[in-house]
Structure formats: structure tokens, C-alpha cells
Amino acid sequence: MLKKWIKRLKGDTEIPSEVTDPTAPDMQTVHRTDENVGITGPEAEEQNEFTVKSGENTSEDNVVPESASSKNGLFSRLRERMSKSRRGFVHQMDSLLLGRRTIDPELLDELEEILIMADMGVETVQNIFEQIRSDVRRNELKDPKALRQRLKECLLERLSIQPPDMDFRQKPFVILVVGVNGVGKTTTIAKLAHNLKKQGKSVLLVAADTFRAAAVEQLEAWGRRIGAPVIKHGMNADPSAVAYDGMEAAVKRNVDVVIVDTAGRLHTKVNLMEELKKIRRVLGKKIPGAPHEVLLILDATTGQNAISQARLFNEAARITSIALTKLDGTAKGGIAASITSEMKIPIRYIGIGEGMEDLRPFDPAEFVEALFSRD
């Protein structure tokens, strides 16, 4: 059965065209009204999410507010935002288990198929069901109701890779942010900077994505909105030079945290990866040990393409942790387990909405509980 899925999924694990297609358009149409920036075009990042609109007050007080349900706590918020995944593969799984009295090969095969369709990945699902079949053979797992709990335990085991602590005693603490265009990179940077400022940290943003039209302006708009200065050069400037100037400014201003934005696509995949390697070298020469964190932004809705992106960027930038965005927009929350299981890279943050507080530290136990909770 898995051979069928391996064949079917091969076509879904290619590197996105943003990285590989040298003929893809380099420019988006940019509309400017006063200091506000809006973007249109096939590769415009976050077209509809967090675009600063004409006439909008850009003060921090006007960020997208949390809904009233957030008052019930993180778990209820997370549970609410994971409803698409819960209504997807978890409800399918519960329907399959309903009324079953024994665990037979047919039941396990059907469960495998459900988990693969939930973007959990063929390799991850194979590993999980090797464990489960072994438990069944040893008569340690007999009840279909207990099978649901065993699946939860298997998922939690694979998700529980802890990211290294961010040691802010290293000053400035440098975070290099990477990822393809369209995954929510710029808005994730804004949310992260907002959260760090709430913790009392001074934050400097570095606009080293000089190749995407309006990328610098977009980051500037967010810098004004959250009260974080932005170091920038002009369009098509050398990203490494921008990174160097950002480090110099951070040292002179004695800031706590520097967040460096980077390009998500150059003319070829090779160019992009070489540019990221160069930025890493520049950061390390200017500030020993930098970057202290390399955060990869992945879009949960892209499915197994996220795994391909993680492999690609890890080769060039040595990823330390992942921010998984748009989890509220997918019915296939299993991608989180696939990423940690196959890549052995921890998830540090998850994005579960458009609000500034919707970038959450990832808690594997709460995530699994929210995913499997019954409505």
C-alpha cells in the first residue's frame, strides 16, 4: 500500500518554483501611497496578510487584535485554530475506529493512508506503524480505542525535539531568518520583533532581501509599526553589505537582538544558497558566533514541499529551528511531525492566525492535545 503512496507523492516534493525557476518574474508591481506599501503580483509575499493599507495608522496600538476567545488561554486558542486539521484527518481516524472491536491489518492500512494524506510523510508514517504493528504482535495493543492514544504518543515522541535556548547574554543576539517567498517571512519577523520588544529587548531589523520588489519597504513599514529601526540599502544592493552594516549599527547602538531578513529567491537555487552562505560568513566575522539562531520559515499549507525546502536551506544555512506558519489554514497539521521526524530540526514557533500574538512558542504536548481533542 505504501508503494502506491510513495509513487503518488513523488510529484509533491519538488523545490518550489520560487527557488528553482530561473525564468520566473523578478519584479512585482508596487503601489505606494504616502509611506504605506501594498504589493501585487504572482510572488508578492503576504499579499493579504498584514499589508499596511492606505490611510492606516501604523501605531502599535492598531495591530490586528486577538479575538475574544484568546482570553480563554493559549490552549483554547490553539485548539480553535487547529480545527481544520481536527476536522480533517483526526475526524477521519475517529470515524474509522468507531465501533471497531479488534485491530486488524486492514484497519492499520486504512489508518496509514489517512496519516499520509494528512501530510505526515511516508517515512514518518512507516516508522510510526512499525512501532504499532510490533505492539500489536506482542499483544501489547489490542483495543482500537487504545490505538488512538498510541498514535498520540507516537506523534508527541517525534515532535518533542527541543530547540536550543536563545541566550540573550550574547549581545547583540543575531537571528538570521531564511525561507522562500510567500511563506510569511516578513510578517513572522514583525511578530517575532514585537514579542521580543514586549519582553523588554531592544530590536534592530536588517533588510538584506534586496532582490524582491518592495521587500525593504515592507520591512520598513513593519519597523515603524512596531517601533524597531531598520538598516537598509537600495534595491539590488549586496545583501552581505547590508548585513555588515546592520552588525556595525547593532554594536554602536548596543541593541539586544538583531533580526536579519534574507531573499527567498534569486535567479537560480545555487545563487540563493551561495548568497546565504556569504551572509553567514559576514555575520560571523563581524560578531563572533553569529548568527546565533538560524530560523527557517515554512508554510504548513505547502505540505511535503516544506520538507524539500528544509533540506535545501539546511545545507546552506545550517538551520537551528523552524517557524511553521499558517497552521490555522491547513487541514493537514501532520506536516509538523513530518518535519521534526525526518529533518531532526526543532520547531520553535507556530503561526496560528493573523494577530501579532498569534506567533506562539511551540509546545509539542499542547499541540498534540489540541489536534486530538474532540469538539
Side-chain angles (χ1 to χ4, degrees):
M1 190 273 294
L2 284 177
K3 288 182 179 179
K4 173 187 72 176
W5 286 105
I6 292 170
K7 183 177 181 181
R8 181 178 296 185
L9 291 171
K10 273 185 177 180
D12 294 331
T13 55
E14 300 301 321
I15 302 300
S17 60
E18 292 100 324
V19 177
T20 58
D21 185 4
T23 65
D26 287 320
M27 303 291 288
Q28 298 85 24
T29 303
V30 180
H31 301 290
R32 301 195 60 177
T33 304
D34 299 326
E35 294 181 337
N36 302 318
V37 180
I39 304 174
T40 61
E43 289 188 31
E45 187 172 15
E46 300 90 41
Q47 296 178 62
N48 299 315
E49 184 182 22
F50 283 112
T51 301
V52 181
K53 299 176 182 176
S54 176
E56 180 181 359
N57 186 330
T58 56
S59 69
E60 189 171 342
D61 292 338
N62 275 13
V63 294
V64 178
E66 290 191 79
S67 68
S69 64
S70 65
K71 297 177 182 178
N72 296 325
L74 172 60
F75 178 76
S76 61
R77 177 80 165 164
L78 179 60
R79 184 181 179 279
E80 173 194 342
R81 292 310 179 103
M82 292 296 296
S83 61
K84 286 189 178 181
S85 286
R86 202 163 55 251
R87 289 195 302 266
F89 82 91
V90 176
H91 279 196
Q92 291 178 47
M93 179 182 67
D94 286 344
S95 297
L96 180 62
L97 295 176
L98 184 64
R100 297 275 188 147
R101 295 185 177 181
T102 59
I103 300 175
D104 54 36
E106 181 184 352
L107 173 63
L108 295 180
D109 285 347
E110 289 187 61
L111 276 176
E112 276 186 307
E113 183 172 328
I114 289 172
L115 266 60
I116 290 172
M117 290 296 291
D119 275 338
M120 208 164 289
V122 172
E123 182 181 329
T124 302
V125 172
Q126 281 181 315
N127 291 337
I128 287 174
F129 277 85
E130 280 176 11
Q131 288 181 254
I132 288 175
R133 286 190 172 93
S134 176
D135 292 344
V136 172
R137 283 194 298 270
R138 294 197 302 266
N139 290 320
E140 294 177 2
L141 188 61
K142 301 178 181 179
D143 185 0
K145 292 181 180 178
L147 178 56
R148 189 183 195 276
Q149 180 61 32
R150 187 72 182 99
L151 282 170
K152 285 176 64 176
E153 293 168 0
C154 288
L155 280 180
L156 181 58
E157 179 184 335
R158 282 155 181 78
L159 289 167
S160 297
I161 303 176
Q162 294 300 316
D165 291 335
M166 287 187 175
D167 186 2
F168 294 114
R169 292 173 299 179
Q170 302 176 86
K171 191 173 179 179
F173 187 87
V174 181
I175 303 173
L176 180 65
V177 180
V178 301
V180 302
N181 290 345
V183 297
K185 197 159 69 256
T186 305
T187 52
T188 299
I189 289 171
K191 292 175 186 178
L192 176 57
H194 170 75
N195 291 339
L196 289 169
K197 284 177 66 64
K198 282 180 61 178
Q199 297 172 30
K201 308 296 182 187
S202 56
V203 179
L204 178 70
L205 305 179
V206 179
D209 181 1
T210 60
F211 297 101
R212 181 171 66 84
V216 174
E217 290 92 336
Q218 209 173 18
L219 193 64
E220 275 190 294
W222 277 111
R224 289 192 298 271
R225 192 166 186 171
I226 62 177
V230 177
I231 302 300
K232 63 171 186 173
H233 286 193
M235 183 72 180
N236 294 320
D238 181 357
S240 298
V242 184
Y244 182 89
D245 287 351
M247 297 308 100
E248 281 206 324
V251 172
K252 289 178 182 177
R253 301 181 192 189
N254 196 33
V255 300
D256 296 317
V257 184
V258 183
I259 305 178
V260 183
D261 188 17
T262 60
R265 182 183 67 80
L266 297 185
H267 293 292
T268 69
K269 178 176 64 177
V270 173
N271 285 353
L272 173 59
M273 296 303 114
E274 289 305 312
E275 192 60 60
L276 290 176
K277 291 176 184 177
K278 184 179 176 183
I279 291 173
R280 272 200 69 115
R281 290 194 298 270
V282 168
L283 296 176
K285 286 180 181 178
K286 187 61 183 175
I287 298 178
H292 307 103
E293 173 80 3
V294 182
L295 182 66
L296 171 64
I297 314 299
L298 294 175
D299 179 348
T301 67
T302 61
Q304 289 298 301
N305 272 334
I307 303 294
S308 299
Q309 293 169 32
R311 290 195 180 102
L312 180 70
F313 281 96
N314 194 42
E315 289 176 8
R318 301 196 297 276
I319 306 302
T320 56
S321 66
I322 289 168
L324 189 60
T325 66
K326 307 179 188 179
L327 266 171
D328 57 316
T330 180
K332 299 182 177 182
I335 187 62
S338 182
I339 290 168
T340 53
S341 179
E342 294 188 30
M343 296 302 302
K344 302 297 186 288
I345 299 174
I347 298 173
R348 187 181 291 279
Y349 299 108
I350 54 173
I352 57 170
E354 296 184 355
M356 290 298 274
E357 308 300 331
D358 285 332
L359 182 69
R360 304 286 195 180
F362 181 61
D363 183 318
E366 283 191 333
F367 177 83
V368 171
E369 199 58 45
L371 190 61
F372 278 79
S373 65
R374 290 186 170 94
D375 292 327

